[in-house]
Amino acid sequence: MFVLHIALQGCLRGDGVIYGLTADTGGHIRYLLDLVSASAQDRDLERIVVATRLFHGQLGAAYAVPEERIADKVTLVRLASASPDYCAKEAMHAEVASFAEHLIAWIAAQDRAPDLVHAHYADAATVAALVEDRLGIPFVFTAHSLGRVKAGMLAPSPVRPDLACRIAAEEAALARARLVIASSRDEAEVQYAGYAAYEPGRVRVLPPGSDLARFAAARPRPQVDAAIDRFLHEAAKPAILALARPVARKNLAALVQAYGESRALRARANLVIVAGTRDDIDSLDGDMAATMRDLLVLIDRYDLYGCVAYPKTHRPEDVPAIYAYARARGGLFVNPALNEPFGLTLLEASAAGLPLVATDSGGPNDIVETCGNGLLVDPRAPGTIAAACLRILGDPALYVRCVAGGARAAAAYDWDRHAARYHVLLRALLAPQQDAPPTRQLLVCDIDNTLIGCTAALEIFRRWRSRQAGLAFGVATGRSFHSAMAVLEQQASPRPQVMITSVGSEIYHLDANGVTYTADAAWRRGIAADWDRAAVHDALRGLDGLVPQGPLEQRALKLSYFGDATGARRVRGRLDEAGIPACVIHSHGRYLDVLPAAASKGTAVDHVRALYDLPEHAVFVAGDSGNDIEMLRAHVQAIIVANYSDDLASNAALKHSYVARRTHARGIIEGVSHFRRILADVG
């Protein structure tokens, strides 16, 4: 396989990247270089080329070199465009057509054309679409950051023309790309949702990795310590560290404000801001000069001299030692960005042994949920930033838990794992599709603690599934589509033909390419007919014992809470009193979901059965918990795996179910075999 990456923004080079040299030289370059490095380890990947702009000027002669070898099988190619100079992202749209022409000519000159193009940022996706129009090469898309999100940050100001152009390019990219690769659930489920071309089933969440070993092994370096300590009167105090480019989106001013307005925090710790590399502030690119001036004004306003460090320069190889500086002083790391699409610095800092205080907008949601390594805050509320810092610094047990959580980051965010899943998807997109045999039976099972939960059982199920000609396979889960797809792919589960997600409130069908999914619009319209989400929310507001789950668990057709069995009865009673039709599902003793009255896993399975035109006896369902009851109760051939919870086997409504002797996926196989024997005997 030959993969061509396109990345036009920033100062891209094979090594020695100077992050922060321009406003566009940031995390997406690090992401791309790490991705191609991991991809190159795949023996079946024959060639990787990264295509970027060639430009001249004061930023360095390296960016005018037409070709640079990065590694074995990996080459960086620089191609000219209309302007010979460096172009900021706001002006990049003017370079797209000319760059595309040069790229098409370059491809034509190769012995073999790329099999697939991967576009990074919307301008690169526009180039990729032009290449596909001319040469028929499909492309996948990674946005890295989105114009609509930025426009939301700038509201209520009118959308600038350059930003409107970028948003239009992103809409076109979402409509054209064969697959969209996101870094977090927030990006996949919230940030993209504002686009007209958004199709959840064409987005995959593949968390980036990071070279975390060098951060876990980070040690202080005297020259780095000296560069920071020279600013500080009491250099031994804990360090609140921020490391980011000085651009408005990174919201460093809110951190300085939080620190300046909290007497307790100033007494407890120093503030260290490592904001890119600069000579003269006036020479900084884009909005970086204005951002740096804002920071200096705030430092002066709050008279923070002697307790805030803001070194002018650092080298990439200094970064581990900067984290180690803060760790050695019992400090923590803060990312106050208005939105962070992913947040590689969070992983680095966490691997280096620092607790986190991070924005609740974007990828940090996933990182903190996965690793348990810090606290999330509203980045627009400086007081909450200060309070979170004080909470971690003042609670030794919490500090230790956050540090321990950071140790899990290396396993959770690994580039080799990312590349393996990425290559499976690319190969599947390129593989010729075979006609599936007619569907004669349908198996739908829960995911957590049913399909997955035992590695050996899932391997047996994988082999069993490959031999089941005519059996359509689906899952029904309380997870969202992207959460479900991520765990299925991480566990190398067979790919479902149908995905019933969010406790039955959403259905997705596998597309003919065998990779992407399309939402079932008819199902959505049907269950939404009598659903008044706002009325449900208002009716349940302030109900004792009811705590909303996180923002990512709330859906257009689902409200999710934490609550016990008593809370579930109160919810049912409150909705009945208000005359609001809804389905209330309680599971695992603590999860409580409120759905449209017509929605459940059971009714969703019936909808799918009708689409496949199957009789009731051709459908098998399997589950383990309370949120499977509706599905198990509604179908004759119901399977309860041996590791069930919520007292399913004693539920009077489930007496018809088969209770397997085996757990997890082995129990599914056992149950299907049981019902098939009965059908054979009857037949």
Side-chain angles (χ1 to χ4, degrees):
M1 186 165 56
F2 173 11
V3 178
L4 170 66
H5 294 266
I6 306 174
L8 306 184
Q9 296 184 18
C11 297
L12 179 55
R13 55 196 294 179
D15 58 25
V17 176
I18 306 173
Y19 295 101
L21 178 63
T22 67
D24 307 327
T25 306
H28 77 284
I29 289 178
R30 174 73 177 278
Y31 175 109
L32 176 56
L33 293 175
D34 284 350
L35 172 60
V36 299
S37 176
S39 291
Q41 307 309 309
D42 188 325
R43 286 179 292 183
D44 293 332
L45 212 65
E46 300 168 24
R47 188 181 182 194
I48 304 169
V49 172
V50 178
T52 190
R53 284 187 69 244
L54 182 148
F55 57 86
H56 303 270
Q58 297 180 346
L59 293 173
Y63 309 111
V65 176
E67 187 169 306
E68 179 183 347
R69 188 172 182 81
I70 296 179
D72 185 36
K73 300 193 291 189
V74 184
T75 306
L76 175 63
V77 173
R78 297 186 180 89
L79 302 171
S81 61
S83 171
D85 302 320
Y86 177 81
C87 289
K89 62 178 179 289
E90 291 80 6
M92 194 63 71
H93 61 276
E95 307 301 308
V96 164
S98 56
F99 183 88
E101 289 300 324
H102 285 102
L103 181 58
I104 290 167
W106 179 88
I107 293 172
Q110 305 306 300
D111 294 336
R112 174 190 166 195
D115 295 296
L116 187 135
V117 170
H118 189 156
H120 300 264
Y121 272 107
D123 43 34
T126 305
V127 171
L130 293 171
V131 171
E132 184 176 26
D133 289 341
R134 194 82 64 86
L135 303 177
I137 303 171
F139 75 94
V140 300
F141 173 51
T142 298
H144 294 285
S145 68
L146 290 164
R148 282 201 186 281
V149 175
K150 184 172 184 178
M153 296 176 198
L154 300 176
S157 301
V159 178
R160 302 192 313 260
D162 64 281
L163 193 53
C165 181
R166 173 180 169 184
I167 292 169
E170 289 165 350
E171 284 279 15
L174 289 176
R176 285 287 301 270
R178 304 293 176 91
L179 184 69
V180 178
I181 296 176
S183 293
S184 68
R185 279 184 63 200
D186 183 89
E187 183 183 357
E189 298 178 3
V190 178
Q191 297 178 41
Y192 280 119
Y195 289 80
Y198 172 59
E199 288 286 350
R202 287 197 293 112
V203 182
R204 277 296 202 285
V205 178
L206 297 183
S210 185
D211 179 14
L212 297 183
R214 70 190 185 105
F215 297 101
R219 296 292 180 270
R221 294 171 55 189
Q223 59 268 44
V224 170
D225 290 2
I228 297 171
D229 285 348
R230 67 190 181 93
F231 289 87
L232 305 172
H233 294 325
E234 299 178 69
K237 290 167 67 174
I240 298 169
L241 171 65
L243 192 154
R245 288 171 293 132
V247 294
R249 181 175 67 83
K250 296 298 184 180
N251 201 34
L252 293 171
L255 176 57
V256 177
Q257 183 181 349
Y259 183 78
E261 292 180 355
S262 174
R263 183 174 300 175
L265 193 56
R266 294 199 309 273
R268 187 68 184 260
N270 291 318
L271 178 61
V272 178
I273 297 178
V274 180
T277 295
R278 63 188 182 276
D279 290 320
D280 190 296
I281 288 178
D282 289 335
S283 67
L284 289 173
D285 180 64
D287 69 351
M288 292 197 295
T291 300
M292 280 305 308
R293 289 195 185 91
D294 289 344
L295 296 181
L296 295 176
V297 166
L298 287 169
I299 289 168
D300 187 74
R301 178 177 300 159
Y302 294 113
D303 193 17
L304 301 179
Y305 301 105
C307 55
V308 176
Y310 42 98
K312 292 182 66 172
T313 62
H314 70 282
R315 300 171 299 171
E317 57 267 33
D318 293 334
V319 173
I322 293 170
Y323 293 129
Y325 174 94
R327 182 192 64 210
R329 288 157 179 78
L332 53 84
F333 184 80
V334 180
N335 179 334
L338 293 172
N339 176 268
E340 186 61 69
F342 182 65
L344 286 175
T345 55
L346 294 175
L347 294 180
E348 295 171 353
S350 198
L354 291 173
L356 308 178
V357 171
T359 175
D360 63 1
S361 178
N365 283 284
D366 285 15
I367 292 173
V368 171
E369 178 184 357
T370 299
C371 301
N373 50 356
L375 300 176
L376 298 173
V377 295
D378 179 353
R380 301 177 188 274
T384 67
I385 298 173
C389 292
L390 284 168
R391 182 181 167 193
I392 291 176
L393 292 174
D395 185 340
L398 175 60
Y399 194 100
V400 170
R401 286 199 303 273
C402 291
V403 171
R408 293 190 283 270
Y413 296 95
D414 175 73
W415 271 118
D416 290 338
R417 180 181 299 179
H418 175 108
R421 290 179 59 200
Y422 169 68
H423 295 158
V424 166
L425 291 171
L426 298 192
R427 291 188 180 99
L429 280 176
L430 296 172
Q433 301 306 309
Q434 299 178 348
D435 292 334
T439 296
R440 299 189 300 273
Q441 293 180 319
L442 170 67
L443 166 64
V444 178
C445 58
D446 178 49
I447 295 178
D448 295 281
N449 296 316
T450 303
L451 179 64
I452 67 172
C454 174
T455 302
L458 183 58
E459 175 59 30
I460 292 169
F461 181 87
R462 193 181 299 115
R463 295 196 298 269
W464 176 83
R465 169 75 186 106
S466 69
R467 301 190 298 269
Q468 305 303 308
L471 176 70
F473 168 55
V475 295
T477 178
R479 291 176 178 266
S480 70
F481 172 84
H482 294 102
S483 175
M485 184 54 64
V487 72
L488 289 172
E489 290 183 344
Q490 287 165 3
Q491 298 292 326
S493 162
R495 185 163 289 135
Q497 285 135 290
V498 61
M499 294 186 64
I500 297 168
T501 63
S502 298
V503 205
S505 61
E506 299 172 15
I507 301 176
Y508 297 87
H509 301 281
L510 185 63
D511 294 330
N513 62 22
V515 178
T516 59
Y517 288 78
T518 297
D520 192 320
W523 173 251
R524 183 184 180 90
R525 286 193 302 270
I527 66 172
D530 62 352
W531 172 247
D532 188 338
R533 189 181 191 279
V536 173
H537 181 270
D538 291 344
L540 301 181
R541 183 185 289 120
L543 195 63
D544 287 345
L546 201 62
V547 178
Q549 292 183 32
L552 285 178
E553 305 312 318
Q554 313 301 334
R555 316 291 293 172
L557 296 172
K558 177 173 77 79
L559 285 163
S560 294
Y561 301 89
F562 296 110
D564 58 16
T566 300
R569 288 192 293 271
R570 287 175 179 160
V571 167
R572 180 72 274 166
R574 180 69 65 87
L575 294 174
D576 288 344
E577 288 174 12
I580 299 172
C583 177
V584 179
I585 296 175
H586 188 245
S587 62
H588 297 289
R590 67 188 300 258
Y591 299 114
L592 204 160
D593 297 296
V594 185
L595 316 170
S600 72
K601 288 184 179 182
T603 53
V605 172
D606 268 338
H607 176 82
V608 174
R609 179 180 66 81
L611 291 178
Y612 280 96
D613 194 23
L614 294 173
E616 171 63 31
H617 67 260
V619 178
F620 311 100
V621 294
D624 74 289
S625 72
N627 72 12
D628 301 315
I629 289 175
E630 294 296 325
M631 177 174 71
L632 297 170
R633 179 169 57 191
H635 295 277
V636 175
Q637 299 184 132
I639 305 160
I640 299 174
V641 294
N643 56 296
Y644 63 84
S645 61
D646 296 328
D647 204 23
L648 287 195
S650 301
N651 190 308
L654 304 182
K655 286 183 178 179
H656 63 284
S657 300
Y658 176 78
V659 181
R661 295 184 300 275
R662 293 180 173 87
T663 66
H664 302 96
R666 283 191 184 99
I668 300 172
I669 299 170
E670 178 187 332
V672 171
S673 300
H674 166 79
F675 285 117
R676 280 178 170 171
R677 283 194 299 271
I678 293 176
L679 289 172
D681 291 343
V682 172

